[in-house]
Amino acid sequence: AQSVSQHNHHVILSEAASLELGCNYSYGGTVNLFWYVQYPGQHLQLLLKYFSGDPLVKGIKGFEAEFIKSKFSFNLRKPSVQWSDTAEYFCAVNVQDYKLSFGAGTTVTVRA
Amino acid sequence: NAGVTQTPKFRVLKTGQSMTLLCAQDMNHEYMYWYRQDPGMGLRLIHYSVGEGTTAKGEVPDGYNVSRLKKQNFLLGLESAAPSQTSVYFCASTALLGATGELFFGEGSRLTVL
């Protein structure tokens, strides 16, 4: 079974700092990749996704992620975070079946 | 448009009690899922369904049962609750995972087993 690893459990940043969250997966075939975000007290929502094509994908709220096939990675980035980006971020992988596997999540705290 | 609705949102049980969580979606989605979310472990798939009348086991199915008698509803049952089942449960649905990739989540059900 595939696994999804998120290397950072908790990241604390100041506003305007840059953010990069790591995500690696262990599956050698074709995958679909996602980042979901869960704001405090809310349900998960899709931030961005990669299926094919340009490995640099842009999502909502200024987030982007880069798929590097050779490294089995799909890292999330944002050049300048805001206080409102405080949330938990989940990387997820679909190996083109019916299921989506999630990483353990990274809690991001942005200090004003 | 309600999307995905879970009931109840909060519940406290004693060890050995049973309960059912209801998930309802109004988007005519084929696929429905039950996940549990625990600190440091992310979301783990309990059971899922690829259509009305079908169910399948996920990563952590033990202690849970599910039913999908109607396309719009996906029920998660705990026959004999254990403290290890204290968690936040999320239901999700999607039209076709491989095509759009987006799971639509409910707001979660927080279950505490004493």
Side-chain angles (χ1 to χ4, degrees):
Chain A
Q2 73 276 15
S3 68
V4 184
S5 299
Q6 292 183 240
H7 314 297
N8 312 100
H9 296 296
H10 193 182
V11 173
I12 302 173
L13 301 165
S14 298
E15 276 193 310
S18 64
L19 172 69
E20 180 161 0
L21 303 181
C23 174
N24 287 90
Y25 62 93
S26 61
Y27 183 73
T30 302
V31 295
N32 299 324
L33 300 159
F34 310 85
W35 277 97
Y36 279 80
V37 60
Q38 185 179 27
Y39 297 104
Q42 298 187 25
H43 57 85
L44 279 84
Q45 54 188 285
L46 183 66
L47 201 53
L48 49 78
K49 61 188 177 186
Y50 172 80
F51 281 3
S52 63
D54 188 346
L56 185 63
V57 293
K58 296 189 183 299
I60 60 173
K61 302 186 180 185
F63 284 90
E64 64 180 29
E66 184 176 13
F67 170 52
I68 302 179
K69 188 174 182 179
S70 61
K71 295 184 177 180
F72 299 88
S73 69
F74 189 54
N75 292 353
L76 180 71
R77 297 194 292 253
K78 184 169 184 178
S80 177
V81 295
Q82 301 173 319
W83 177 81
S84 58
D85 292 323
T86 294
E88 190 161 14
Y89 293 81
F90 294 93
C91 182
V93 174
N94 165 242
V95 295
Q96 300 193 327
D97 61 5
Y98 304 118
K99 304 184 294 295
L100 197 60
S101 296
F102 286 84
T106 298
T107 300
V108 174
T109 301
V110 180
R111 292 180 171 163
Chain B
N1 189 345
V4 179
T5 303
Q6 294 180 225
T7 53
K9 291 186 171 44
F10 301 94
R11 184 77 187 268
V12 178
L13 289 177
K14 294 181 180 178
T15 297
Q17 287 185 317
S18 63
M19 75 159 295
T20 300
L21 296 175
L22 170 63
C23 177
Q25 52 94 4
D26 61 3
M27 297 172 282
N28 201 37
H29 285 167
E30 287 292 336
Y31 307 111
M32 296 187 74
Y33 306 83
W34 275 108
Y35 286 90
R36 59 177 290 174
Q37 183 182 26
D38 301 291
M41 304 187 77
L43 279 82
R44 292 180 292 169
L45 183 63
I46 305 170
H47 286 280
Y48 65 101
S49 168
V50 301
E52 182 179 315
T54 73
T55 63
K57 295 180 180 180
E59 303 170 61
V60 289
D62 294 343
Y64 304 95
N65 57 75
V66 288
S67 64
R68 183 100 181 266
L69 299 179
K70 294 182 179 180
K71 186 177 183 179
Q72 63 268 34
N73 295 338
F74 194 31
L75 279 65
L76 178 71
L78 285 72
E79 292 184 345
S80 180
S84 61
Q85 294 177 304
T86 293
S87 186
V88 180
Y89 293 85
F90 285 97
C91 177
S93 72
T94 189
L96 183 60
L97 192 60
T100 69
E102 183 167 5
L103 288 184
F104 293 84
F105 284 85
E107 293 185 347
S109 298
R110 184 174 294 274
L111 174 66
T112 301
V113 183
L114 302 176

